[in-house]
Amino acid sequence: LVTMPAPTLALRGDGASLPLIYRHSDGHGDIEVRIDLQPELGTDRKVLVGQVKAPNLDLDGAEIQLRQAEAIVAGTTLTGKRGRFQLPSLPPGDYALVVRSAQWEIQIPNLHCP
């Protein structure tokens, strides 16, 4: 298992605006993670909408975990090649997103959900 360092913010925003686009390149290929928060209709909660793009890697079965203080508060598994995911009904707080396969892992810390 290769743990990749937290990728740096690229392309959009100053770290406070959404969507966020993270990119990482190494011997496993290029990996891009896009993250956006959208309002959940009828509540004060948010839906985290994301996509993992890795043209040279198999994303089928990769795990998505949203953590708060080391506890997993939401998660899903990627299926197919599009790499899209949603984590609904998030209360306000600070989170870390983990994207993991059998060969690699990306941790994106300090995600704030207003």
CSV table of all heavy atoms in Angstrom, one decimal, residues 15-67:
chain,number,residue,atom,x,y,z
A,15,GLY,N,-8.8,28.0,-1.7
A,15,GLY,CA,-8.9,27.0,-0.6
A,15,GLY,C,-10.2,27.2,0.1
A,15,GLY,O,-10.6,26.3,0.9
A,16,ALA,N,-10.9,28.3,0.0
A,16,ALA,CA,-12.2,28.5,0.7
A,16,ALA,C,-13.4,28.3,-0.2
A,16,ALA,O,-14.5,28.2,0.2
A,16,ALA,CB,-12.2,29.8,1.4
A,17,SER,N,-13.1,28.5,-1.5
A,17,SER,CA,-14.2,28.4,-2.5
A,17,SER,C,-14.3,27.0,-3.1
A,17,SER,O,-13.4,26.2,-3.1
A,17,SER,CB,-14.0,29.4,-3.6
A,17,SER,OG,-12.8,29.2,-4.3
A,18,LEU,N,-15.5,26.7,-3.5
A,18,LEU,CA,-15.8,25.4,-4.1
A,18,LEU,C,-16.2,25.6,-5.6
A,18,LEU,O,-16.7,26.6,-5.9
A,18,LEU,CB,-17.0,24.7,-3.3
A,18,LEU,CG,-16.6,24.3,-1.9
A,18,LEU,CD1,-17.9,23.9,-1.2
A,18,LEU,CD2,-15.6,23.2,-1.9
A,19,PRO,N,-16.1,24.6,-6.4
A,19,PRO,CA,-15.5,23.3,-6.1
A,19,PRO,C,-14.0,23.3,-5.9
A,19,PRO,O,-13.3,24.2,-6.4
A,19,PRO,CB,-15.9,22.5,-7.4
A,19,PRO,CG,-16.0,23.5,-8.5
A,19,PRO,CD,-16.5,24.7,-7.8
A,20,LEU,N,-13.5,22.4,-5.2
A,20,LEU,CA,-12.1,22.2,-5.0
A,20,LEU,C,-11.6,21.1,-6.0
A,20,LEU,O,-12.3,20.1,-6.2
A,20,LEU,CB,-11.7,21.7,-3.6
A,20,LEU,CG,-12.1,22.7,-2.5
A,20,LEU,CD1,-11.8,22.1,-1.1
A,20,LEU,CD2,-11.4,24.0,-2.7
A,21,ILE,N,-10.4,21.3,-6.6
A,21,ILE,CA,-9.8,20.3,-7.4
A,21,ILE,C,-8.4,20.0,-6.9
A,21,ILE,O,-7.6,20.9,-6.9
A,21,ILE,CB,-9.8,20.8,-8.9
A,21,ILE,CG1,-11.2,21.1,-9.4
A,21,ILE,CG2,-9.1,19.7,-9.8
A,21,ILE,CD1,-11.2,21.8,-10.7
A,22,TYR,N,-8.2,18.8,-6.5
A,22,TYR,CA,-6.9,18.3,-6.1
A,22,TYR,C,-6.3,17.4,-7.1
A,22,TYR,O,-7.0,16.6,-7.7
A,22,TYR,CB,-7.1,17.5,-4.8
A,22,TYR,CG,-7.5,18.3,-3.6
A,22,TYR,CD1,-8.9,18.6,-3.4
A,22,TYR,CD2,-6.6,18.9,-2.7
A,22,TYR,CE1,-9.3,19.3,-2.3
A,22,TYR,CE2,-7.0,19.7,-1.7
A,22,TYR,CZ,-8.3,19.9,-1.4
A,22,TYR,OH,-8.7,20.6,-0.4
A,23,ARG,N,-5.0,17.6,-7.3
A,23,ARG,CA,-4.3,16.7,-8.3
A,23,ARG,C,-3.0,16.2,-7.6
A,23,ARG,O,-2.3,16.8,-6.9
A,23,ARG,CB,-3.9,17.6,-9.5
A,23,ARG,CG,-5.0,17.9,-10.4
A,23,ARG,CD,-4.5,18.5,-11.6
A,23,ARG,NE,-5.7,18.8,-12.5
A,23,ARG,CZ,-5.7,19.7,-13.5
A,23,ARG,NH1,-4.6,20.4,-13.7
A,23,ARG,NH2,-6.7,19.8,-14.2
A,24,HIS,N,-2.7,14.9,-8.0
A,24,HIS,CA,-1.5,14.3,-7.6
A,24,HIS,C,-0.9,13.4,-8.7
A,24,HIS,O,-1.7,12.7,-9.4
A,24,HIS,CB,-1.8,13.4,-6.3
A,24,HIS,CG,-0.6,12.8,-5.8
A,24,HIS,ND1,0.3,13.5,-5.0
A,24,HIS,CD2,0.0,11.6,-6.0
A,24,HIS,CE1,1.3,12.7,-4.7
A,24,HIS,NE2,1.1,11.5,-5.2
A,25,SER,N,0.4,13.5,-8.9
A,25,SER,CA,1.1,12.7,-9.9
A,25,SER,C,2.2,12.0,-9.2
A,25,SER,O,3.0,12.6,-8.4
A,25,SER,CB,1.6,13.5,-11.0
A,25,SER,OG,0.6,14.0,-11.8
A,26,ASP,N,2.4,10.7,-9.5
A,26,ASP,CA,3.6,9.9,-9.1
A,26,ASP,C,3.6,8.7,-9.9
A,26,ASP,O,3.0,8.6,-11.0
A,26,ASP,CB,3.5,9.6,-7.6
A,26,ASP,CG,2.5,8.6,-7.2
A,26,ASP,OD1,1.8,8.1,-8.1
A,26,ASP,OD2,2.5,8.2,-6.0
A,27,GLY,N,4.3,7.7,-9.5
A,27,GLY,CA,4.5,6.4,-10.2
A,27,GLY,C,3.2,5.7,-10.5
A,27,GLY,O,3.2,4.8,-11.3
A,28,HIS,N,2.1,6.0,-9.8
A,28,HIS,CA,0.9,5.3,-10.0
A,28,HIS,C,0.0,6.0,-11.1
A,28,HIS,O,-1.0,5.6,-11.4
A,28,HIS,CB,0.0,5.3,-8.7
A,28,HIS,CG,0.7,4.4,-7.7
A,28,HIS,ND1,0.7,3.1,-7.7
A,28,HIS,CD2,1.4,4.8,-6.6
A,28,HIS,CE1,1.3,2.6,-6.6
A,28,HIS,NE2,1.8,3.6,-6.0
A,29,GLY,N,0.5,7.2,-11.6
A,29,GLY,CA,-0.2,7.9,-12.6
A,29,GLY,C,-0.8,9.2,-12.0
A,29,GLY,O,-0.6,9.6,-10.8
A,30,ASP,N,-1.6,9.9,-12.8
A,30,ASP,CA,-2.3,11.1,-12.4
A,30,ASP,C,-3.6,10.8,-11.8
A,30,ASP,O,-4.4,10.0,-12.3
A,30,ASP,CB,-2.5,12.0,-13.6
A,30,ASP,CG,-1.2,12.5,-14.2
A,30,ASP,OD1,-0.2,12.6,-13.5
A,30,ASP,OD2,-1.2,12.8,-15.4
A,31,ILE,N,-3.8,11.4,-10.6
A,31,ILE,CA,-5.1,11.3,-9.9
A,31,ILE,C,-5.7,12.7,-9.7
A,31,ILE,O,-4.9,13.6,-9.2
A,31,ILE,CB,-5.0,10.5,-8.6
A,31,ILE,CG1,-4.4,9.1,-8.9
A,31,ILE,CG2,-6.3,10.4,-7.9
A,31,ILE,CD1,-4.1,8.4,-7.6
A,32,GLU,N,-6.9,12.9,-10.0
A,32,GLU,CA,-7.6,14.2,-9.7
A,32,GLU,C,-8.8,13.9,-8.9
A,32,GLU,O,-9.6,13.0,-9.2
A,32,GLU,CB,-7.9,14.8,-11.1
A,32,GLU,CG,-8.6,16.2,-10.9
A,32,GLU,CD,-8.9,16.8,-12.2
A,32,GLU,OE1,-8.0,17.4,-12.8
A,32,GLU,OE2,-10.1,16.8,-12.7
A,33,VAL,N,-9.1,14.7,-7.9
A,33,VAL,CA,-10.2,14.5,-7.0
A,33,VAL,C,-10.9,15.9,-7.0
A,33,VAL,O,-10.4,16.9,-6.7
A,33,VAL,CB,-9.9,14.1,-5.6
A,33,VAL,CG1,-11.2,14.0,-4.7
A,33,VAL,CG2,-9.1,12.8,-5.6
A,34,ARG,N,-12.2,15.9,-7.5
A,34,ARG,CA,-13.0,17.1,-7.5
A,34,ARG,C,-14.1,17.0,-6.4
A,34,ARG,O,-14.7,16.0,-6.2
A,34,ARG,CB,-13.7,17.3,-8.8
A,34,ARG,CG,-12.8,17.5,-10.0
A,34,ARG,CD,-13.6,17.4,-11.3
A,34,ARG,NE,-12.7,17.7,-12.4
A,34,ARG,CZ,-12.7,18.8,-13.1
A,34,ARG,NH1,-13.6,19.7,-12.9
A,34,ARG,NH2,-11.8,18.9,-14.1
A,35,ILE,N,-14.2,18.1,-5.6
A,35,ILE,CA,-15.1,18.1,-4.5
A,35,ILE,C,-16.0,19.3,-4.5
A,35,ILE,O,-15.5,20.4,-4.7
A,35,ILE,CB,-14.4,18.1,-3.1
A,35,ILE,CG1,-13.4,16.9,-3.1
A,35,ILE,CG2,-15.3,18.1,-2.0
A,35,ILE,CD1,-12.4,17.0,-2.0
A,36,ASP,N,-17.3,19.2,-4.3
A,36,ASP,CA,-18.2,20.3,-4.2
A,36,ASP,C,-19.2,20.0,-3.1
A,36,ASP,O,-19.6,18.8,-2.9
A,36,ASP,CB,-18.9,20.5,-5.6
A,36,ASP,CG,-19.6,21.8,-5.7
A,36,ASP,OD1,-19.4,22.7,-4.8
A,36,ASP,OD2,-20.2,22.1,-6.7
A,37,LEU,N,-19.7,21.0,-2.5
A,37,LEU,CA,-20.8,20.9,-1.5
A,37,LEU,C,-22.0,21.6,-2.1
A,37,LEU,O,-22.0,22.7,-2.6
A,37,LEU,CB,-20.4,21.6,-0.2
A,37,LEU,CG,-19.4,20.9,0.7
A,37,LEU,CD1,-19.1,21.8,1.9
A,37,LEU,CD2,-20.0,19.6,1.2
A,38,GLN,N,-23.2,20.9,-2.0
A,38,GLN,CA,-24.4,21.4,-2.4
A,38,GLN,C,-25.4,21.3,-1.3
A,38,GLN,O,-25.4,20.5,-0.5
A,38,GLN,CB,-24.9,20.6,-3.7
A,38,GLN,CG,-23.9,20.7,-4.8
A,38,GLN,CD,-24.3,19.8,-6.0
A,38,GLN,OE1,-25.3,19.1,-5.9
A,38,GLN,NE2,-23.6,19.9,-7.1
A,39,PRO,N,-26.4,22.3,-1.3
A,39,PRO,CA,-27.4,22.2,-0.2
A,39,PRO,C,-28.3,21.0,-0.4
A,39,PRO,O,-28.6,20.6,-1.5
A,39,PRO,CB,-28.2,23.5,-0.4
A,39,PRO,CG,-27.8,24.0,-1.8
A,39,PRO,CD,-26.5,23.4,-2.2
A,40,GLU,N,-28.6,20.4,0.7
A,40,GLU,CA,-29.6,19.3,0.7
A,40,GLU,C,-31.0,19.9,0.9
A,40,GLU,O,-31.2,20.6,1.9
A,40,GLU,CB,-29.3,18.3,1.8
A,40,GLU,CG,-30.1,17.1,1.8
A,40,GLU,CD,-29.6,16.0,2.8
A,40,GLU,OE1,-29.9,16.3,4.0
A,40,GLU,OE2,-29.0,15.0,2.4
A,41,LEU,N,-31.8,19.6,-0.1
A,41,LEU,CA,-33.2,20.3,-0.1
A,41,LEU,C,-33.9,20.0,1.2
A,41,LEU,O,-34.0,18.8,1.7
A,41,LEU,CB,-34.0,19.8,-1.3
A,41,LEU,CG,-33.4,20.2,-2.7
A,41,LEU,CD1,-34.2,19.5,-3.8
A,41,LEU,CD2,-33.3,21.7,-2.8
A,42,GLY,N,-34.5,21.0,1.8
A,42,GLY,CA,-35.4,20.9,2.9
A,42,GLY,C,-34.7,20.7,4.2
A,42,GLY,O,-35.3,20.5,5.3
A,43,THR,N,-33.3,20.9,4.3
A,43,THR,CA,-32.5,20.7,5.5
A,43,THR,C,-31.5,21.8,5.6
A,43,THR,O,-31.2,22.5,4.6
A,43,THR,CB,-31.9,19.3,5.6
A,43,THR,OG1,-30.7,19.3,4.7
A,43,THR,CG2,-32.8,18.2,5.3
A,44,ASP,N,-30.8,21.9,6.7
A,44,ASP,CA,-29.6,22.8,6.8
A,44,ASP,C,-28.3,22.0,6.6
A,44,ASP,O,-27.2,22.5,6.8
A,44,ASP,CB,-29.6,23.4,8.2
A,44,ASP,CG,-29.4,22.4,9.3
A,44,ASP,OD1,-29.6,21.2,9.1
A,44,ASP,OD2,-29.1,22.9,10.4
A,45,ARG,N,-28.4,20.8,6.0
A,45,ARG,CA,-27.3,19.9,5.8
A,45,ARG,C,-26.8,20.1,4.3
A,45,ARG,O,-27.5,20.7,3.5
A,45,ARG,CB,-27.6,18.5,6.1
A,45,ARG,CG,-27.9,18.3,7.6
A,45,ARG,CD,-28.2,16.9,7.9
A,45,ARG,NE,-28.4,16.8,9.4
A,45,ARG,CZ,-27.7,16.0,10.1
A,45,ARG,NH1,-26.8,15.1,9.5
A,45,ARG,NH2,-27.8,15.9,11.4
A,46,LYS,N,-25.6,19.5,4.0
A,46,LYS,CA,-25.0,19.6,2.7
A,46,LYS,C,-24.9,18.2,2.1
A,46,LYS,O,-24.8,17.2,2.8
A,46,LYS,CB,-23.7,20.2,2.8
A,46,LYS,CG,-23.7,21.6,3.4
A,46,LYS,CD,-24.2,22.6,2.5
A,46,LYS,CE,-23.9,24.0,3.1
A,46,LYS,NZ,-25.0,24.9,3.2
A,47,VAL,N,-24.7,18.1,0.8
A,47,VAL,CA,-24.3,16.9,0.1
A,47,VAL,C,-23.0,17.1,-0.5
A,47,VAL,O,-22.7,18.1,-1.2
A,47,VAL,CB,-25.4,16.6,-1.0
A,47,VAL,CG1,-24.9,15.4,-1.8
A,47,VAL,CG2,-26.7,16.4,-0.5
A,48,LEU,N,-22.0,16.3,-0.2
A,48,LEU,CA,-20.7,16.3,-0.8
A,48,LEU,C,-20.8,15.5,-2.1
A,48,LEU,O,-21.1,14.4,-2.1
A,48,LEU,CB,-19.6,15.7,0.1
A,48,LEU,CG,-18.2,15.9,-0.3
A,48,LEU,CD1,-17.3,16.1,0.9
A,48,LEU,CD2,-17.7,14.8,-1.2
A,49,VAL,N,-20.5,16.2,-3.2
A,49,VAL,CA,-20.5,15.6,-4.5
A,49,VAL,C,-19.1,15.6,-5.0
A,49,VAL,O,-18.4,16.6,-4.9
A,49,VAL,CB,-21.4,16.4,-5.5
A,49,VAL,CG1,-21.4,15.8,-6.9
A,49,VAL,CG2,-22.8,16.5,-4.9
A,50,GLY,N,-18.6,14.5,-5.5
A,50,GLY,CA,-17.2,14.4,-5.9
A,50,GLY,C,-17.0,13.5,-7.1
A,50,GLY,O,-17.9,12.7,-7.5
A,51,GLN,N,-15.8,13.6,-7.7
A,51,GLN,CA,-15.4,12.7,-8.7
A,51,GLN,C,-13.9,12.4,-8.6
A,51,GLN,O,-13.2,13.4,-8.4
A,51,GLN,CB,-15.8,13.3,-10.1
A,51,GLN,CG,-15.4,12.4,-11.3
A,51,GLN,CD,-15.9,13.0,-12.6
A,51,GLN,OE1,-16.1,14.1,-12.7
A,51,GLN,NE2,-16.0,12.1,-13.6
A,52,VAL,N,-13.5,11.2,-8.8
A,52,VAL,CA,-12.1,10.8,-8.9
A,52,VAL,C,-11.8,10.5,-10.3
A,52,VAL,O,-12.5,9.7,-10.9
A,52,VAL,CB,-11.9,9.6,-8.0
A,52,VAL,CG1,-10.4,9.2,-8.0
A,52,VAL,CG2,-12.3,9.9,-6.6
A,53,LYS,N,-10.8,11.1,-10.9
A,53,LYS,CA,-10.3,10.8,-12.2
A,53,LYS,C,-8.9,10.3,-12.2
A,53,LYS,O,-8.1,10.9,-11.6
A,53,LYS,CB,-10.4,12.1,-13.1
A,53,LYS,CG,-11.8,12.6,-13.4
A,53,LYS,CD,-11.7,13.8,-14.3
A,53,LYS,CE,-13.1,14.3,-14.7
A,53,LYS,NZ,-13.0,15.4,-15.6
A,54,ALA,N,-8.7,9.1,-12.8
A,54,ALA,CA,-7.4,8.5,-12.8
A,54,ALA,C,-7.3,7.7,-14.1
A,54,ALA,O,-7.6,6.5,-14.0
A,54,ALA,CB,-7.1,7.7,-11.6
A,55,PRO,N,-7.0,8.3,-15.2
A,55,PRO,CA,-7.0,7.6,-16.5
A,55,PRO,C,-6.2,6.3,-16.5
A,55,PRO,O,-6.6,5.3,-17.2
A,55,PRO,CB,-6.4,8.6,-17.5
A,55,PRO,CG,-6.5,9.9,-16.8
A,55,PRO,CD,-6.5,9.6,-15.4
A,56,ASN,N,-5.1,6.2,-15.8
A,56,ASN,CA,-4.3,5.0,-15.8
A,56,ASN,C,-4.5,4.0,-14.7
A,56,ASN,O,-3.8,3.0,-14.6
A,56,ASN,CB,-2.8,5.4,-15.8
A,56,ASN,CG,-2.5,6.3,-17.0
A,56,ASN,OD1,-3.0,6.1,-18.1
A,56,ASN,ND2,-1.6,7.3,-16.8
A,57,LEU,N,-5.5,4.2,-13.9
A,57,LEU,CA,-5.8,3.4,-12.7
A,57,LEU,C,-7.2,2.8,-12.8
A,57,LEU,O,-8.1,3.5,-13.3
A,57,LEU,CB,-5.6,4.2,-11.4
A,57,LEU,CG,-4.2,4.7,-11.2
A,57,LEU,CD1,-4.2,5.6,-9.9
A,57,LEU,CD2,-3.2,3.6,-11.0
A,58,ASP,N,-7.4,1.7,-12.2
A,58,ASP,CA,-8.7,1.1,-12.1
A,58,ASP,C,-9.4,1.6,-10.8
A,58,ASP,O,-8.9,1.4,-9.7
A,58,ASP,CB,-8.6,-0.5,-12.0
A,58,ASP,CG,-10.0,-1.1,-11.9
A,58,ASP,OD1,-11.0,-0.5,-12.2
A,58,ASP,OD2,-10.0,-2.4,-11.6
A,59,LEU,N,-10.5,2.4,-11.0
A,59,LEU,CA,-11.2,3.0,-9.8
A,59,LEU,C,-12.3,2.1,-9.3
A,59,LEU,O,-12.8,2.4,-8.2
A,59,LEU,CB,-11.7,4.3,-10.3
A,59,LEU,CG,-10.7,5.4,-10.6
A,59,LEU,CD1,-11.5,6.7,-11.1
A,59,LEU,CD2,-9.8,5.7,-9.5
A,60,ASP,N,-12.7,1.1,-10.0
A,60,ASP,CA,-13.8,0.2,-9.6
A,60,ASP,C,-13.4,-0.4,-8.2
A,60,ASP,O,-12.4,-1.1,-8.1
A,60,ASP,CB,-14.0,-0.8,-10.6
A,60,ASP,CG,-15.4,-1.5,-10.5
A,60,ASP,OD1,-16.3,-0.8,-10.0
A,60,ASP,OD2,-15.5,-2.7,-10.8
A,61,GLY,N,-14.2,-0.2,-7.3
A,61,GLY,CA,-14.0,-0.7,-5.9
A,61,GLY,C,-13.2,0.2,-5.0
A,61,GLY,O,-13.1,-0.2,-3.8
A,62,ALA,N,-12.8,1.3,-5.5
A,62,ALA,CA,-12.1,2.2,-4.6
A,62,ALA,C,-13.0,2.8,-3.5
A,62,ALA,O,-14.2,3.0,-3.8
A,62,ALA,CB,-11.5,3.4,-5.4
A,63,GLU,N,-12.5,2.9,-2.3
A,63,GLU,CA,-13.4,3.4,-1.2
A,63,GLU,C,-13.2,4.9,-1.0
A,63,GLU,O,-12.2,5.5,-1.1
A,63,GLU,CB,-12.9,2.7,0.1
A,63,GLU,CG,-13.1,1.2,0.1
A,63,GLU,CD,-12.5,0.6,1.4
A,63,GLU,OE1,-12.2,1.4,2.4
A,63,GLU,OE2,-12.4,-0.6,1.5
A,64,ILE,N,-14.4,5.5,-0.6
A,64,ILE,CA,-14.4,6.9,-0.3
A,64,ILE,C,-14.9,6.9,1.2
A,64,ILE,O,-15.9,6.3,1.5
A,64,ILE,CB,-15.5,7.7,-1.1
A,64,ILE,CG1,-15.2,7.5,-2.6
A,64,ILE,CG2,-15.5,9.1,-0.7
A,64,ILE,CD1,-14.0,8.1,-3.1
A,65,GLN,N,-14.1,7.6,2.0
A,65,GLN,CA,-14.5,7.8,3.4
A,65,GLN,C,-14.4,9.2,3.8
A,65,GLN,O,-13.5,9.9,3.5
A,65,GLN,CB,-13.6,7.0,4.3
A,65,GLN,CG,-13.6,5.5,4.1
A,65,GLN,CD,-12.6,4.8,5.0
A,65,GLN,OE1,-11.7,5.4,5.6
A,65,GLN,NE2,-12.7,3.5,5.1
A,66,LEU,N,-15.4,9.7,4.5
A,66,LEU,CA,-15.4,11.0,5.1
A,66,LEU,C,-15.3,10.8,6.6
A,66,LEU,O,-16.0,10.1,7.2
A,66,LEU,CB,-16.7,11.8,4.8
A,66,LEU,CG,-16.7,13.3,5.1
A,66,LEU,CD1,-15.6,14.0,4.2
A,66,LEU,CD2,-18.0,13.9,4.9
A,67,ARG,N,-14.2,11.4,7.1
A,67,ARG,CA,-13.9,11.2,8.5
A,67,ARG,C,-14.0,12.5,9.3
A,67,ARG,O,-13.7,13.6,8.8
A,67,ARG,CB,-12.5,10.7,8.7
A,67,ARG,CG,-12.3,9.3,8.1
A,67,ARG,CD,-10.9,8.8,8.2
A,67,ARG,NE,-10.8,7.5,7.7
A,67,ARG,CZ,-9.8,6.7,7.8
A,67,ARG,NH1,-8.8,7.1,8.6
A,67,ARG,NH2,-9.8,5.5,7.3
